[in-house]
Amino acid sequence: MSDVDLDVHHSGEDVTEALREDVREGLSAAQKWLPSKWFYDARGSELFERITELPEYYPTRSEREVLRREAPEIAAVTGARTLVELGSGSSEKTRLLLDALGAYGTLEEFVPLDVSESALAEAADAIARDYPALTVRGVVGDFTEHLGLLPGERPRIVAFLGGTIGNFLPADRAKFLRSVRDVLTEGEWLLLGTDLVKDEGTLVRAYDDARGVTAEFNRNVLRVLNERLGADFDPAAFEHVSHWDAENEWIEMRLRARAATRVHIPGAGMEVTFAAGEHVRTEISAKFRPEGVRAELADAGLAVERWWTDERGLFGVSLSRAVS
Ligand code: AVJ
């Protein structure tokens, strides 16, 4: 049981219904695909936490380096009274921001938003315990749908970290940034983490580690379909692929059928066949250039006021202000 108030906009039934629709659409397409948000059940979230500690997976460490260095500046520039965190992932990064805003003296409220009620309750409780002066109000919801409901005293800073913005296709990304801008009042803030374009080897290895943790994370989406929709995927029958798409400048994760197979998905009323070598696209993770980030934010009505990278220039963090 959670001690913190949670606004729930997403029940277990909603989640299964949303998964069913995504599976029907994605697995009936000529080029099969599944949205990457379905990786993150309890096991998937745990596997992702392990990914963040892998030597090959630099984004988490690089972003943390920036936040550790710049959190006091972020607090001073924004004077935020509310920190809203979308897809509230690793609480360690959150704490860097809470500590700096707390020390600066303006912070009153923390609003984590996540699709996973259990992950959210755990994170919200831990923060509430360690920051007794803070009002913590968790929102269970999908940040592509429930942004209109964000509480909090102004000015607010919305943090969207980890490079998760890269999981949207470009058109959805533009829509998402616009929807963030629209819930903000002029002068409020977005703190955005974006992984940067770099050499192909570094990128491909970050999504295909030697220990195979990312491969297990990728295959976990099949287990989620088995559990939630009663599907009969054999995860081991699919090979993990990390592919750099140089034209679109994104990493694509795929699951490739090792042999021809037929899968039953009763919860979606489907039977799906895979030819040998056929793949499902399970994630895109777009990589950015600084000028691209600036332009996309500007298009959404967000003006970049600060831009930082880690020492090695692998990962970018922008602080932008809502403008009219
Ligand atoms: C959590 C979405 C930022 O795209 O790098 C890690 C997820 N996928 N390894 C990313 C992920 C494969 C990660 N994000």
Side-chain angles (χ1 to χ4, degrees):
M1 234 342 252
S2 173
D3 304 329
V4 171
D5 280 352
L6 298 182
D7 294 345
V8 180
H9 300 290
H10 224 340
S11 69
E13 275 158 52
D14 292 347
V15 173
T16 302
E17 181 52 34
L19 174 62
R20 178 180 299 125
E21 277 169 30
D22 285 350
V23 165
R24 282 202 183 126
E25 184 183 350
L27 294 188
S28 65
Q31 166 57 73
K32 296 181 173 65
W33 64 282
L34 289 168
S36 56
K37 67 176 175 193
W38 299 113
F39 287 133
Y40 300 94
D41 66 347
R43 181 169 183 270
S45 300
E46 207 172 287
L47 284 165
F48 176 67
E49 286 306 314
R50 283 176 57 199
I51 288 174
T52 64
E53 287 156 21
L54 293 168
E56 296 95 335
Y57 193 76
Y58 59 84
T60 308
R61 282 185 296 277
S62 300
E63 187 180 56
R64 192 189 302 134
E65 178 190 321
V66 174
L67 294 178
R68 185 163 289 143
R69 197 182 67 213
E70 302 298 345
E73 172 77 358
I74 293 165
V77 170
T78 64
R81 294 173 69 187
T82 301
L83 171 64
V84 177
E85 189 177 22
L86 305 183
S88 42
S90 143
S91 61
E92 201 189 334
K93 286 185 274 190
T94 310
R95 284 163 192 262
L96 292 171
L97 295 171
L98 291 174
D99 290 344
L101 287 162
Y104 188 69
T106 52
L107 186 68
E108 295 165 27
E109 201 160 337
F110 174 53
V111 180
L113 186 148
D114 204 288
V115 278
S116 160
E117 182 164 354
S118 57
L120 185 72
E122 205 175 301
D125 282 349
I127 296 290
R129 185 179 350 100
D130 296 346
Y131 297 81
L134 202 61
T135 301
V136 179
R137 192 131 50 121
V139 179
V140 180
D142 182 329
F143 48 66
T144 59
E145 286 169 41
H146 300 118
L147 275 186
L149 309 155
L150 292 182
E153 294 296 328
R154 289 151 199 204
R156 298 165 301 182
I157 178 170
V158 173
F160 191 37
L161 299 173
T164 302
I165 183 87
N167 289 161
F168 290 112
L169 286 162
D172 295 334
R173 196 158 79 212
K175 245 179 25 197
F176 170 76
L177 289 174
R178 189 27 90 175
S179 70
V180 172
R181 164 62 190 94
D182 287 346
V183 299
L184 297 178
T185 308
E186 215 177 311
E188 293 193 299
W189 302 90
L190 172 66
L191 183 71
L192 182 67
T194 43
D195 195 13
L196 302 177
V197 173
K198 58 189 61 67
D199 71 281
E200 177 169 357
T202 300
L203 286 166
V204 168
R205 277 191 297 276
Y207 292 82
D208 190 11
D209 62 280
R211 282 175 233 175
V213 181
T214 308
E216 268 317 296
F217 172 75
N218 194 6
R219 289 188 193 100
N220 190 59
V221 74
L222 303 180
R223 295 180 195 276
V224 169
L225 269 53
N226 287 352
E227 268 159 40
R228 279 214 179 248
L229 301 175
D232 58 0
F233 279 99
D234 171 12
F238 289 82
E239 182 190 358
H240 167 67
V241 178
S242 159
H243 170 78
W244 172 240
D245 180 330
E247 193 175 323
N248 289 308
E249 296 193 321
W250 67 49
I251 283 282
E252 225 176 272
M253 289 212 309
R254 300 170 174 172
L255 288 169
R256 185 157 61 203
R258 299 183 199 271
T261 42
R262 177 189 298 269
V263 179
H264 306 92
I265 315 178
M270 291 176 94
E271 223 177 76
V272 183
T273 58
F274 291 84
E278 184 181 354
H279 71 259
V280 194
R281 187 186 77 208
T282 51
E283 179 178 70
I284 67 157
S285 193
K287 306 306 167 190
F288 296 85
R289 296 173 187 275
E291 59 280 15
V293 174
R294 202 173 286 273
E296 290 188 31
L297 287 167
D299 283 346
L302 292 155
V304 174
E305 303 261 320
R306 295 286 189 284
W307 168 260
W308 304 285
T309 75
D310 57 307
E311 293 279 335
R312 295 164 69 198
L314 300 175
F315 194 95
V317 177
S318 57
L319 178 63
S320 55
R321 221 174 125 261
V323 293
S324 51

PDB file of all heavy atoms in Angstrom, residues 102-139:
ATOM      1  N   GLY A 102      15.711  22.004  -3.575  1.00  0.00           N
ATOM      2  CA  GLY A 102      15.486  22.153  -2.146  1.00  0.00           C
ATOM      3  C   GLY A 102      16.491  23.121  -1.536  1.00  0.00           C
ATOM      4  O   GLY A 102      16.131  24.017  -0.758  1.00  0.00           O
ATOM      5  N   ALA A 103      17.740  22.972  -1.921  1.00  0.00           N
ATOM      6  CA  ALA A 103      18.792  23.848  -1.390  1.00  0.00           C
ATOM      7  C   ALA A 103      18.575  25.282  -1.857  1.00  0.00           C
ATOM      8  O   ALA A 103      18.813  26.233  -1.108  1.00  0.00           O
ATOM      9  CB  ALA A 103      20.164  23.341  -1.841  1.00  0.00           C
ATOM     10  N   TYR A 104      18.104  25.439  -3.072  1.00  0.00           N
ATOM     11  CA  TYR A 104      17.842  26.787  -3.591  1.00  0.00           C
ATOM     12  C   TYR A 104      16.659  27.417  -2.849  1.00  0.00           C
ATOM     13  O   TYR A 104      16.573  28.635  -2.715  1.00  0.00           O
ATOM     14  CB  TYR A 104      17.572  26.712  -5.095  1.00  0.00           C
ATOM     15  CG  TYR A 104      17.490  28.053  -5.769  1.00  0.00           C
ATOM     16  CD1 TYR A 104      18.621  28.853  -5.901  1.00  0.00           C
ATOM     17  CD2 TYR A 104      16.274  28.530  -6.254  1.00  0.00           C
ATOM     18  CE1 TYR A 104      18.546  30.090  -6.513  1.00  0.00           C
ATOM     19  CE2 TYR A 104      16.190  29.774  -6.874  1.00  0.00           C
ATOM     20  CZ  TYR A 104      17.328  30.540  -6.993  1.00  0.00           C
ATOM     21  OH  TYR A 104      17.252  31.766  -7.589  1.00  0.00           O
ATOM     22  N   GLY A 105      15.740  26.567  -2.394  1.00  0.00           N
ATOM     23  CA  GLY A 105      14.698  27.041  -1.485  1.00  0.00           C
ATOM     24  C   GLY A 105      13.314  27.228  -2.080  1.00  0.00           C
ATOM     25  O   GLY A 105      12.401  27.668  -1.394  1.00  0.00           O
ATOM     26  N   THR A 106      13.134  26.883  -3.362  1.00  0.00           N
ATOM     27  CA  THR A 106      11.823  27.127  -3.976  1.00  0.00           C
ATOM     28  C   THR A 106      10.927  25.895  -4.020  1.00  0.00           C
ATOM     29  O   THR A 106       9.720  26.011  -4.199  1.00  0.00           O
ATOM     30  CB  THR A 106      11.998  27.632  -5.430  1.00  0.00           C
ATOM     31  OG1 THR A 106      12.863  26.737  -6.135  1.00  0.00           O
ATOM     32  CG2 THR A 106      12.589  29.036  -5.442  1.00  0.00           C
ATOM     33  N   LEU A 107      11.492  24.719  -3.869  1.00  0.00           N
ATOM     34  CA  LEU A 107      10.734  23.492  -4.152  1.00  0.00           C
ATOM     35  C   LEU A 107       9.676  23.180  -3.097  1.00  0.00           C
ATOM     36  O   LEU A 107       9.940  23.208  -1.901  1.00  0.00           O
ATOM     37  CB  LEU A 107      11.697  22.299  -4.237  1.00  0.00           C
ATOM     38  CG  LEU A 107      11.042  20.986  -4.663  1.00  0.00           C
ATOM     39  CD1 LEU A 107      10.589  21.063  -6.108  1.00  0.00           C
ATOM     40  CD2 LEU A 107      11.993  19.822  -4.466  1.00  0.00           C
ATOM     41  N   GLU A 108       8.438  22.885  -3.572  1.00  0.00           N
ATOM     42  CA  GLU A 108       7.350  22.504  -2.665  1.00  0.00           C
ATOM     43  C   GLU A 108       6.752  21.156  -3.020  1.00  0.00           C
ATOM     44  O   GLU A 108       6.262  20.432  -2.159  1.00  0.00           O
ATOM     45  CB  GLU A 108       6.216  23.548  -2.741  1.00  0.00           C
ATOM     46  CG  GLU A 108       6.637  24.910  -2.243  1.00  0.00           C
ATOM     47  CD  GLU A 108       5.645  25.996  -2.652  1.00  0.00           C
ATOM     48  OE1 GLU A 108       4.457  25.690  -2.845  1.00  0.00           O
ATOM     49  OE2 GLU A 108       6.090  27.152  -2.793  1.00  0.00           O
ATOM     50  N   GLU A 109       6.741  20.830  -4.310  1.00  0.00           N
ATOM     51  CA  GLU A 109       5.946  19.684  -4.744  1.00  0.00           C
ATOM     52  C   GLU A 109       6.690  18.832  -5.776  1.00  0.00           C
ATOM     53  O   GLU A 109       7.405  19.364  -6.626  1.00  0.00           O
ATOM     54  CB  GLU A 109       4.644  20.202  -5.360  1.00  0.00           C
ATOM     55  CG  GLU A 109       3.557  19.182  -5.392  1.00  0.00           C
ATOM     56  CD  GLU A 109       2.163  19.834  -5.549  1.00  0.00           C
ATOM     57  OE1 GLU A 109       2.008  21.019  -5.206  1.00  0.00           O
ATOM     58  OE2 GLU A 109       1.270  19.145  -6.018  1.00  0.00           O
ATOM     59  N   PHE A 110       6.486  17.526  -5.680  1.00  0.00           N
ATOM     60  CA  PHE A 110       7.065  16.590  -6.646  1.00  0.00           C
ATOM     61  C   PHE A 110       5.932  15.764  -7.235  1.00  0.00           C
ATOM     62  O   PHE A 110       5.130  15.185  -6.498  1.00  0.00           O
ATOM     63  CB  PHE A 110       8.090  15.688  -5.951  1.00  0.00           C
ATOM     64  CG  PHE A 110       8.643  14.598  -6.832  1.00  0.00           C
ATOM     65  CD1 PHE A 110       9.201  14.888  -8.073  1.00  0.00           C
ATOM     66  CD2 PHE A 110       8.614  13.261  -6.413  1.00  0.00           C
ATOM     67  CE1 PHE A 110       9.716  13.880  -8.887  1.00  0.00           C
ATOM     68  CE2 PHE A 110       9.131  12.252  -7.216  1.00  0.00           C
ATOM     69  CZ  PHE A 110       9.684  12.566  -8.454  1.00  0.00           C
ATOM     70  N   VAL A 111       5.856  15.744  -8.563  1.00  0.00           N
ATOM     71  CA  VAL A 111       4.774  15.036  -9.261  1.00  0.00           C
ATOM     72  C   VAL A 111       5.370  14.031 -10.237  1.00  0.00           C
ATOM     73  O   VAL A 111       5.676  14.371 -11.373  1.00  0.00           O
ATOM     74  CB  VAL A 111       3.867  16.037 -10.031  1.00  0.00           C
ATOM     75  CG1 VAL A 111       2.740  15.294 -10.749  1.00  0.00           C
ATOM     76  CG2 VAL A 111       3.302  17.097  -9.100  1.00  0.00           C
ATOM     77  N   PRO A 112       5.581  12.792  -9.798  1.00  0.00           N
ATOM     78  CA  PRO A 112       6.061  11.777 -10.741  1.00  0.00           C
ATOM     79  C   PRO A 112       4.881  11.191 -11.516  1.00  0.00           C
ATOM     80  O   PRO A 112       3.811  10.961 -10.937  1.00  0.00           O
ATOM     81  CB  PRO A 112       6.687  10.719  -9.826  1.00  0.00           C
ATOM     82  CG  PRO A 112       5.965  10.840  -8.532  1.00  0.00           C
ATOM     83  CD  PRO A 112       5.483  12.270  -8.412  1.00  0.00           C
ATOM     84  N   LEU A 113       5.063  10.993 -12.808  1.00  0.00           N
ATOM     85  CA  LEU A 113       4.015  10.390 -13.643  1.00  0.00           C
ATOM     86  C   LEU A 113       4.581   9.149 -14.310  1.00  0.00           C
ATOM     87  O   LEU A 113       5.655   9.189 -14.917  1.00  0.00           O
ATOM     88  CB  LEU A 113       3.555  11.412 -14.693  1.00  0.00           C
ATOM     89  CG  LEU A 113       2.364  11.020 -15.581  1.00  0.00           C
ATOM     90  CD1 LEU A 113       1.546  12.250 -15.950  1.00  0.00           C
ATOM     91  CD2 LEU A 113       2.811  10.323 -16.857  1.00  0.00           C
ATOM     92  N   ASP A 114       3.889   8.039 -14.169  1.00  0.00           N
ATOM     93  CA  ASP A 114       4.374   6.788 -14.758  1.00  0.00           C
ATOM     94  C   ASP A 114       3.194   5.897 -15.108  1.00  0.00           C
ATOM     95  O   ASP A 114       2.139   5.983 -14.488  1.00  0.00           O
ATOM     96  CB  ASP A 114       5.298   6.067 -13.766  1.00  0.00           C
ATOM     97  CG  ASP A 114       6.270   5.137 -14.470  1.00  0.00           C
ATOM     98  OD1 ASP A 114       5.832   4.081 -14.968  1.00  0.00           O
ATOM     99  OD2 ASP A 114       7.463   5.477 -14.536  1.00  0.00           O
ATOM    100  N   VAL A 115       3.373   5.021 -16.101  1.00  0.00           N
ATOM    101  CA  VAL A 115       2.312   4.069 -16.456  1.00  0.00           C
ATOM    102  C   VAL A 115       2.195   2.957 -15.441  1.00  0.00           C
ATOM    103  O   VAL A 115       1.140   2.340 -15.316  1.00  0.00           O
ATOM    104  CB  VAL A 115       2.524   3.379 -17.831  1.00  0.00           C
ATOM    105  CG1 VAL A 115       2.065   4.266 -18.957  1.00  0.00           C
ATOM    106  CG2 VAL A 115       3.945   2.915 -18.013  1.00  0.00           C
ATOM    107  N   SER A 116       3.284   2.661 -14.737  1.00  0.00           N
ATOM    108  CA  SER A 116       3.282   1.524 -13.826  1.00  0.00           C
ATOM    109  C   SER A 116       2.909   1.977 -12.420  1.00  0.00           C
ATOM    110  O   SER A 116       3.666   2.695 -11.765  1.00  0.00           O
ATOM    111  CB  SER A 116       4.659   0.863 -13.818  1.00  0.00           C
ATOM    112  OG  SER A 116       4.801   0.083 -12.652  1.00  0.00           O
ATOM    113  N   GLU A 117       1.736   1.544 -11.938  1.00  0.00           N
ATOM    114  CA  GLU A 117       1.280   1.958 -10.611  1.00  0.00           C
ATOM    115  C   GLU A 117       2.212   1.452  -9.514  1.00  0.00           C
ATOM    116  O   GLU A 117       2.514   2.168  -8.567  1.00  0.00           O
ATOM    117  CB  GLU A 117      -0.163   1.464 -10.367  1.00  0.00           C
ATOM    118  CG  GLU A 117      -0.692   1.913  -9.020  1.00  0.00           C
ATOM    119  CD  GLU A 117      -2.208   1.808  -8.874  1.00  0.00           C
ATOM    120  OE1 GLU A 117      -2.882   1.495  -9.868  1.00  0.00           O
ATOM    121  OE2 GLU A 117      -2.685   2.038  -7.761  1.00  0.00           O
ATOM    122  N   SER A 118       2.713   0.211  -9.671  1.00  0.00           N
ATOM    123  CA  SER A 118       3.574  -0.347  -8.620  1.00  0.00           C
ATOM    124  C   SER A 118       4.909   0.388  -8.561  1.00  0.00           C
ATOM    125  O   SER A 118       5.379   0.763  -7.486  1.00  0.00           O
ATOM    126  CB  SER A 118       3.802  -1.842  -8.864  1.00  0.00           C
ATOM    127  OG  SER A 118       4.352  -2.056 -10.144  1.00  0.00           O
ATOM    128  N   ALA A 119       5.508   0.636  -9.739  1.00  0.00           N
ATOM    129  CA  ALA A 119       6.788   1.356  -9.772  1.00  0.00           C
ATOM    130  C   ALA A 119       6.612   2.764  -9.221  1.00  0.00           C
ATOM    131  O   ALA A 119       7.449   3.274  -8.468  1.00  0.00           O
ATOM    132  CB  ALA A 119       7.333   1.408 -11.200  1.00  0.00           C
ATOM    133  N   LEU A 120       5.485   3.383  -9.586  1.00  0.00           N
ATOM    134  CA  LEU A 120       5.233   4.751  -9.144  1.00  0.00           C
ATOM    135  C   LEU A 120       5.048   4.827  -7.638  1.00  0.00           C
ATOM    136  O   LEU A 120       5.624   5.687  -6.969  1.00  0.00           O
ATOM    137  CB  LEU A 120       3.979   5.285  -9.848  1.00  0.00           C
ATOM    138  CG  LEU A 120       3.674   6.737  -9.571  1.00  0.00           C
ATOM    139  CD1 LEU A 120       4.682   7.618 -10.284  1.00  0.00           C
ATOM    140  CD2 LEU A 120       2.272   7.084 -10.009  1.00  0.00           C
ATOM    141  N   ALA A 121       4.256   3.906  -7.097  1.00  0.00           N
ATOM    142  CA  ALA A 121       3.985   3.915  -5.657  1.00  0.00           C
ATOM    143  C   ALA A 121       5.276   3.743  -4.880  1.00  0.00           C
ATOM    144  O   ALA A 121       5.531   4.446  -3.897  1.00  0.00           O
ATOM    145  CB  ALA A 121       2.996   2.800  -5.312  1.00  0.00           C
ATOM    146  N   GLU A 122       6.129   2.847  -5.354  1.00  0.00           N
ATOM    147  CA  GLU A 122       7.393   2.585  -4.674  1.00  0.00           C
ATOM    148  C   GLU A 122       8.288   3.826  -4.699  1.00  0.00           C
ATOM    149  O   GLU A 122       8.826   4.243  -3.684  1.00  0.00           O
ATOM    150  CB  GLU A 122       8.087   1.414  -5.375  1.00  0.00           C
ATOM    151  CG  GLU A 122       9.034   0.649  -4.510  1.00  0.00           C
ATOM    152  CD  GLU A 122       9.573  -0.577  -5.267  1.00  0.00           C
ATOM    153  OE1 GLU A 122       8.750  -1.426  -5.680  1.00  0.00           O
ATOM    154  OE2 GLU A 122      10.792  -0.636  -5.458  1.00  0.00           O
ATOM    155  N   ALA A 123       8.408   4.419  -5.894  1.00  0.00           N
ATOM    156  CA  ALA A 123       9.263   5.597  -6.048  1.00  0.00           C
ATOM    157  C   ALA A 123       8.718   6.762  -5.223  1.00  0.00           C
ATOM    158  O   ALA A 123       9.464   7.453  -4.518  1.00  0.00           O
ATOM    159  CB  ALA A 123       9.370   5.981  -7.518  1.00  0.00           C
ATOM    160  N   ALA A 124       7.401   6.968  -5.294  1.00  0.00           N
ATOM    161  CA  ALA A 124       6.786   8.099  -4.591  1.00  0.00           C
ATOM    162  C   ALA A 124       6.945   7.944  -3.080  1.00  0.00           C
ATOM    163  O   ALA A 124       7.244   8.910  -2.368  1.00  0.00           O
ATOM    164  CB  ALA A 124       5.315   8.219  -4.975  1.00  0.00           C
ATOM    165  N   ASP A 125       6.769   6.724  -2.582  1.00  0.00           N
ATOM    166  CA  ASP A 125       6.924   6.474  -1.141  1.00  0.00           C
ATOM    167  C   ASP A 125       8.342   6.757  -0.680  1.00  0.00           C
ATOM    168  O   ASP A 125       8.559   7.368   0.368  1.00  0.00           O
ATOM    169  CB  ASP A 125       6.577   5.013  -0.814  1.00  0.00           C
ATOM    170  CG  ASP A 125       5.078   4.778  -0.771  1.00  0.00           C
ATOM    171  OD1 ASP A 125       4.330   5.776  -0.793  1.00  0.00           O
ATOM    172  OD2 ASP A 125       4.671   3.611  -0.718  1.00  0.00           O
ATOM    173  N   ALA A 126       9.314   6.298  -1.470  1.00  0.00           N
ATOM    174  CA  ALA A 126      10.714   6.483  -1.078  1.00  0.00           C
ATOM    175  C   ALA A 126      11.063   7.970  -1.026  1.00  0.00           C
ATOM    176  O   ALA A 126      11.721   8.435  -0.091  1.00  0.00           O
ATOM    177  CB  ALA A 126      11.635   5.747  -2.053  1.00  0.00           C
ATOM    178  N   ILE A 127      10.591   8.718  -2.026  1.00  0.00           N
ATOM    179  CA  ILE A 127      10.876  10.160  -2.039  1.00  0.00           C
ATOM    180  C   ILE A 127      10.163  10.848  -0.867  1.00  0.00           C
ATOM    181  O   ILE A 127      10.748  11.690  -0.175  1.00  0.00           O
ATOM    182  CB  ILE A 127      10.447  10.794  -3.388  1.00  0.00           C
ATOM    183  CG1 ILE A 127      11.265  10.213  -4.550  1.00  0.00           C
ATOM    184  CG2 ILE A 127      10.563  12.310  -3.339  1.00  0.00           C
ATOM    185  CD1 ILE A 127      12.713  10.619  -4.606  1.00  0.00           C
ATOM    186  N   ALA A 128       8.893  10.488  -0.644  1.00  0.00           N
ATOM    187  CA  ALA A 128       8.130  11.116   0.442  1.00  0.00           C
ATOM    188  C   ALA A 128       8.804  10.877   1.795  1.00  0.00           C
ATOM    189  O   ALA A 128       8.841  11.759   2.652  1.00  0.00           O
ATOM    190  CB  ALA A 128       6.702  10.584   0.455  1.00  0.00           C
ATOM    191  N   ARG A 129       9.349   9.680   1.953  1.00  0.00           N
ATOM    192  CA  ARG A 129      10.018   9.334   3.207  1.00  0.00           C
ATOM    193  C   ARG A 129      11.280  10.183   3.395  1.00  0.00           C
ATOM    194  O   ARG A 129      11.543  10.711   4.463  1.00  0.00           O
ATOM    195  CB  ARG A 129      10.365   7.833   3.190  1.00  0.00           C
ATOM    196  CG  ARG A 129      10.954   7.327   4.461  1.00  0.00           C
ATOM    197  CD  ARG A 129      11.280   5.813   4.473  1.00  0.00           C
ATOM    198  NE  ARG A 129      10.797   5.005   3.367  1.00  0.00           N
ATOM    199  CZ  ARG A 129      11.556   4.622   2.326  1.00  0.00           C
ATOM    200  NH1 ARG A 129      12.814   5.010   2.237  1.00  0.00           N
ATOM    201  NH2 ARG A 129      11.043   3.860   1.378  1.00  0.00           N
ATOM    202  N   ASP A 130      12.053  10.330   2.324  1.00  0.00           N
ATOM    203  CA  ASP A 130      13.343  11.010   2.434  1.00  0.00           C
ATOM    204  C   ASP A 130      13.242  12.533   2.323  1.00  0.00           C
ATOM    205  O   ASP A 130      14.203  13.239   2.625  1.00  0.00           O
ATOM    206  CB  ASP A 130      14.308  10.484   1.363  1.00  0.00           C
ATOM    207  CG  ASP A 130      14.625   9.007   1.584  1.00  0.00           C
ATOM    208  OD1 ASP A 130      14.322   8.512   2.687  1.00  0.00           O
ATOM    209  OD2 ASP A 130      15.162   8.363   0.666  1.00  0.00           O
ATOM    210  N   TYR A 131      12.105  13.038   1.836  1.00  0.00           N
ATOM    211  CA  TYR A 131      11.917  14.492   1.713  1.00  0.00           C
ATOM    212  C   TYR A 131      10.607  14.864   2.404  1.00  0.00           C
ATOM    213  O   TYR A 131       9.612  15.171   1.752  1.00  0.00           O
ATOM    214  CB  TYR A 131      11.888  14.915   0.237  1.00  0.00           C
ATOM    215  CG  TYR A 131      13.183  14.646  -0.520  1.00  0.00           C
ATOM    216  CD1 TYR A 131      13.474  13.376  -1.023  1.00  0.00           C
ATOM    217  CD2 TYR A 131      14.121  15.671  -0.716  1.00  0.00           C
ATOM    218  CE1 TYR A 131      14.653  13.127  -1.706  1.00  0.00           C
ATOM    219  CE2 TYR A 131      15.300  15.429  -1.394  1.00  0.00           C
ATOM    220  CZ  TYR A 131      15.561  14.152  -1.886  1.00  0.00           C
ATOM    221  OH  TYR A 131      16.732  13.916  -2.562  1.00  0.00           O
ATOM    222  N   PRO A 132      10.608  14.846   3.744  1.00  0.00           N
ATOM    223  CA  PRO A 132       9.350  15.016   4.485  1.00  0.00           C
ATOM    224  C   PRO A 132       8.669  16.365   4.236  1.00  0.00           C
ATOM    225  O   PRO A 132       7.455  16.473   4.391  1.00  0.00           O
ATOM    226  CB  PRO A 132       9.774  14.855   5.951  1.00  0.00           C
ATOM    227  CG  PRO A 132      11.257  14.895   5.973  1.00  0.00           C
ATOM    228  CD  PRO A 132      11.761  14.572   4.620  1.00  0.00           C
ATOM    229  N   ALA A 133       9.416  17.380   3.859  1.00  0.00           N
ATOM    230  CA  ALA A 133       8.803  18.701   3.648  1.00  0.00           C
ATOM    231  C   ALA A 133       8.101  18.803   2.298  1.00  0.00           C
ATOM    232  O   ALA A 133       7.399  19.776   2.025  1.00  0.00           O
ATOM    233  CB  ALA A 133       9.875  19.797   3.766  1.00  0.00           C
ATOM    234  N   LEU A 134       8.307  17.804   1.457  1.00  0.00           N
ATOM    235  CA  LEU A 134       7.818  17.864   0.079  1.00  0.00           C
ATOM    236  C   LEU A 134       6.410  17.270  -0.033  1.00  0.00           C
ATOM    237  O   LEU A 134       6.132  16.229   0.537  1.00  0.00           O
ATOM    238  CB  LEU A 134       8.789  17.035  -0.777  1.00  0.00           C
ATOM    239  CG  LEU A 134       8.883  17.274  -2.264  1.00  0.00           C
ATOM    240  CD1 LEU A 134       9.325  18.694  -2.556  1.00  0.00           C
ATOM    241  CD2 LEU A 134       9.883  16.275  -2.872  1.00  0.00           C
ATOM    242  N   THR A 135       5.545  17.930  -0.799  1.00  0.00           N
ATOM    243  CA  THR A 135       4.258  17.322  -1.160  1.00  0.00           C
ATOM    244  C   THR A 135       4.506  16.431  -2.367  1.00  0.00           C
ATOM    245  O   THR A 135       5.027  16.897  -3.373  1.00  0.00           O
ATOM    246  CB  THR A 135       3.222  18.406  -1.543  1.00  0.00           C
ATOM    247  OG1 THR A 135       3.056  19.268  -0.437  1.00  0.00           O
ATOM    248  CG2 THR A 135       1.895  17.773  -1.936  1.00  0.00           C
ATOM    249  N   VAL A 136       4.172  15.150  -2.253  1.00  0.00           N
ATOM    250  CA  VAL A 136       4.400  14.216  -3.365  1.00  0.00           C
ATOM    251  C   VAL A 136       3.047  13.764  -3.888  1.00  0.00           C
ATOM    252  O   VAL A 136       2.215  13.248  -3.130  1.00  0.00           O
ATOM    253  CB  VAL A 136       5.230  12.994  -2.919  1.00  0.00           C
ATOM    254  CG1 VAL A 136       5.435  12.034  -4.093  1.00  0.00           C
ATOM    255  CG2 VAL A 136       6.580  13.436  -2.356  1.00  0.00           C
ATOM    256  N   ARG A 137       2.791  14.008  -5.151  1.00  0.00           N
ATOM    257  CA  ARG A 137       1.519  13.595  -5.751  1.00  0.00           C
ATOM    258  C   ARG A 137       1.795  12.817  -7.025  1.00  0.00           C
ATOM    259  O   ARG A 137       2.153  13.392  -8.043  1.00  0.00           O
ATOM    260  CB  ARG A 137       0.689  14.834  -6.054  1.00  0.00           C
ATOM    261  CG  ARG A 137      -0.737  14.498  -6.398  1.00  0.00           C
ATOM    262  CD  ARG A 137      -1.719  15.342  -5.608  1.00  0.00           C
ATOM    263  NE  ARG A 137      -1.380  16.755  -5.693  1.00  0.00           N
ATOM    264  CZ  ARG A 137      -2.212  17.684  -6.179  1.00  0.00           C
ATOM    265  NH1 ARG A 137      -3.379  17.339  -6.645  1.00  0.00           N
ATOM    266  NH2 ARG A 137      -1.854  18.942  -6.192  1.00  0.00           N
ATOM    267  N   GLY A 138       1.690  11.496  -6.945  1.00  0.00           N
ATOM    268  CA  GLY A 138       1.965  10.649  -8.102  1.00  0.00           C
ATOM    269  C   GLY A 138       0.779  10.619  -9.050  1.00  0.00           C
ATOM    270  O   GLY A 138      -0.368  10.666  -8.619  1.00  0.00           O
ATOM    271  N   VAL A 139       1.062  10.561 -10.340  1.00  0.00           N
ATOM    272  CA  VAL A 139       0.010  10.414 -11.345  1.00  0.00           C
ATOM    273  C   VAL A 139       0.289   9.132 -12.124  1.00  0.00           C
ATOM    274  O   VAL A 139       1.349   8.995 -12.735  1.00  0.00           O
ATOM    275  CB  VAL A 139      -0.027  11.619 -12.319  1.00  0.00           C
ATOM    276  CG1 VAL A 139      -1.121  11.426 -13.370  1.00  0.00           C
ATOM    277  CG2 VAL A 139      -0.248  12.921 -11.557  1.00  0.00           C
TER     278      VAL A 139
END
